[in-house]
Amino acid sequence: MVLRFLREKVVEVEPLADGELAVTWKLADDLLEAEIQMKVLPPDLEITEAQARIIRAPHAACASVPDLIEKVEGVRIGPGLRKIVKGLIDGPDGCSTLTAGVLECCNAVILHFTRPGIQAGDGLVLTEEEQIARGRENLKRNPRLVRSCIAFADDSPIMQGLGL
Amino acid sequence: MRVDLHIHTSPRSLCSHIDPPDLIQEVKRLGLDGFCLTEHQVIWDPHEVDELARDEGIKIFRGNEITTNQGDILVFGYEEDLQGVVPIKVLHNKVREANGFMIAAHPFRGFKTFGIGQLKMNVDQACKRKVFQYIDSIEVRNGKLNEQENDMASQVAERLGLPGTAGSDAHNLDEVGKWITVFERDVQNEQELMEELRAGRFTIGSAR
């Protein structure tokens, strides 16, 4: 027997004239169809509006999605986001599909801000010394990077001599 | 009296690598007079703290870092075991009823990849955060934040007329004491700690 399962998923971030960001998330597969609309207000990245609906689902789970998603209104897209969103709308009384959708919306907002910086660095050809200097500059701007990955481990070239 | 108000230890905070007895020795080596155990969503038993402190000559206070829908809050003087993400209003009402004290922890902490700098946040905008309606103080120096993020917290505290505390938020021994709160008076217990915090009788310092 050959199983066939198709899934389409799209998430978009669109800057609005009033400065807010409109985020749209849509999921459609052979079993499920769902969508989320959110508005996010920079610079605090507060979720000011959030709506969701399950258009088609194989079971009654997540029937409370329209009420559930209201809990994320007022939440800021910032550190600890995953824990906060899961705590608010996941678990036995929550909906894991909605949780995943909301987090994907938030990731899209984060990428909206980080992608230009990443793209700007893509074309640069740096010597090893320049790479180390850039790494140290990053550490200075963001102490949370210390020990966060192998590049910033205690014995890495970037960390050596810094005395952090 | 020099106190690090924000420290996580293992195993109560799963993300911490600090063994409590080692912490005592490090705090003594740094010349601090005390510290506060602020684990994630769990508060130490007072008897265990007494046992830990023994005759070490160090004051150990208990707090709790509670996750709310508006970010992390350091809570003092509140014993109830709260699980999950707590709405800030609910936490505010409970702590107020217990006559406790709430500090907005690292309020402007950014992601590893970007933060308030890239978002071009100004002080007016920062002051409008909902969380500031519900807390008694703002952590204006946190060891995990960069200068810009801590400066923003300082400016917001000043603008809103709230006292600004400091703590290392240490998860490793070598982070302890990076930022500390220096109290004008000797603080003997948690009740006095809250009294001094409420009165704003402290300044900010560092042991490193």
Side-chain angles (χ1 to χ4, degrees):
Chain A
M1 185 172 69
V2 177
L3 286 178
R4 185 185 68 94
F5 181 79
L6 292 175
R7 165 169 281 191
E8 285 182 77
K9 191 161 63 177
V10 63
V11 56
E12 289 178 327
V13 179
E14 184 190 359
L16 302 176
D18 64 1
E20 282 197 285
L21 300 171
V23 190
T24 307
W25 177 91
K26 288 181 182 175
L27 169 78
D29 63 30
D30 292 325
L31 302 170
L32 181 70
E33 189 174 354
E35 61 181 48
I36 297 172
Q37 307 276 347
M38 286 190 347
K39 281 191 180 174
V40 176
L41 181 64
D44 220 9
L45 302 186
E46 179 185 339
I47 300 171
T48 55
E49 286 179 42
Q51 296 170 331
R53 63 182 186 133
I54 303 284
I55 300 153
R56 177 163 47 84
H59 47 69
C62 297
S64 59
V65 151
D67 297 330
L68 206 53
I69 197 165
E70 285 180 12
K71 291 186 178 181
V72 303
E73 289 183 356
V75 168
R76 277 177 284 108
I77 299 177
L81 174 79
R82 195 169 293 277
K83 187 176 170 187
I84 292 172
V85 170
K86 284 185 173 177
L88 291 173
I89 63 173
D90 210 349
D93 300 323
C95 172
S96 57
T97 302
L98 182 67
T99 305
V102 167
L103 288 174
E104 285 178 3
C105 288
C106 297
N107 280 337
V109 171
I110 294 165
L111 281 175
H112 176 79
F113 288 99
T114 54
R115 190 175 54 192
I118 293 167
Q119 284 173 331
D122 269 355
L124 295 176
V125 181
L126 302 173
T127 64
E128 192 178 331
E129 288 75 21
E130 287 169 333
Q131 286 176 17
I132 290 172
R134 279 170 70 96
R136 288 181 169 178
E137 197 54 41
N138 276 338
L139 277 181
K140 193 177 163 191
R141 277 200 306 267
N142 194 342
R144 287 182 298 281
L145 288 171
V146 173
R147 302 189 185 103
S148 66
C149 72
I150 195 161
F152 302 115
D154 285 331
D155 56 353
S156 71
I158 293 172
M159 290 282 284
Q160 275 172 19
L162 288 184
L164 295 173
Chain B
M1 183 174 184
R2 292 150 55 85
V3 179
D4 189 332
L5 274 183
H6 189 169
I7 294 182
H8 297 271
T9 64
S10 175
R12 284 179 172 81
S13 290
L14 297 177
C15 48
S16 174
H17 303 284
I18 298 177
D19 187 36
D22 292 344
L23 173 60
I24 301 263
Q25 299 314 311
E26 182 66 3
V27 164
K28 286 170 79 170
R29 191 186 71 78
L30 291 169
L32 296 181
D33 302 296
F35 63 87
C36 192
L37 294 161
T38 51
E39 316 294 1
H40 292 290
Q41 224 98 341
V42 61
I43 189 159
W44 276 65
D45 181 280
H47 302 297
E48 285 182 272
V49 170
D50 288 345
E51 196 173 314
L52 183 65
R54 276 183 282 183
D55 300 322
E56 297 284 1
I58 295 286
K59 286 273 180 262
I60 306 178
F61 306 105
R62 300 172 311 135
N64 197 347
E65 187 170 16
I66 295 177
T67 301
T68 75
N69 58 345
Q70 293 297 313
D72 291 340
I73 307 291
L74 294 174
V75 176
F76 300 92
Y78 181 72
E79 298 279 337
E80 193 183 332
D81 186 22
L82 295 173
Q83 293 304 311
V85 175
V86 186
I88 185 78
K89 262 188 197 175
V90 172
L91 182 66
H92 171 80
N93 291 340
K94 283 174 179 284
V95 175
R96 183 65 69 241
E97 203 171 304
N99 202 25
F101 194 85
M102 291 167 66
I103 301 173
H106 43 65
F108 296 104
R109 184 175 67 175
F111 289 105
K112 288 191 178 75
T113 47
F114 81 109
I116 56 171
Q118 288 86 342
L119 293 167
K120 298 183 172 53
M121 180 184 283
N122 63 40
V123 179
D124 288 337
Q125 292 163 329
C127 285
K128 288 179 184 158
R129 275 199 184 170
K130 289 188 187 79
V131 67
F132 299 131
Q133 300 167 22
Y134 298 102
I135 44 88
D136 304 296
S137 175
I138 297 176
E139 189 179 53
V140 299
R141 284 290 178 272
N142 174 291
K144 298 284 191 186
L145 268 55
N146 66 29
E147 209 175 310
Q148 189 182 27
E149 291 164 337
N150 278 328
D151 283 348
M152 177 63 83
S154 289
Q155 291 174 63
V156 167
E158 194 178 338
R159 179 80 62 89
L160 297 177
L162 290 167
T165 65
S168 65
D169 199 358
H171 289 66
N172 289 285
L173 266 187
D174 56 5
E175 296 165 352
V176 174
K178 181 163 181 184
W179 290 109
I180 58 171
T181 302
V182 184
F183 292 94
E184 291 171 15
R185 302 176 179 184
D186 272 355
V187 179
Q188 295 303 315
N189 53 48
E190 285 155 19
Q191 195 58 43
E192 287 184 15
L193 179 77
M194 288 191 288
E195 281 169 20
E196 296 309 299
L197 286 169
R198 279 200 186 89
R201 284 189 286 264
F202 58 83
T203 54
I204 302 301
S206 174
R208 288 191 185 271

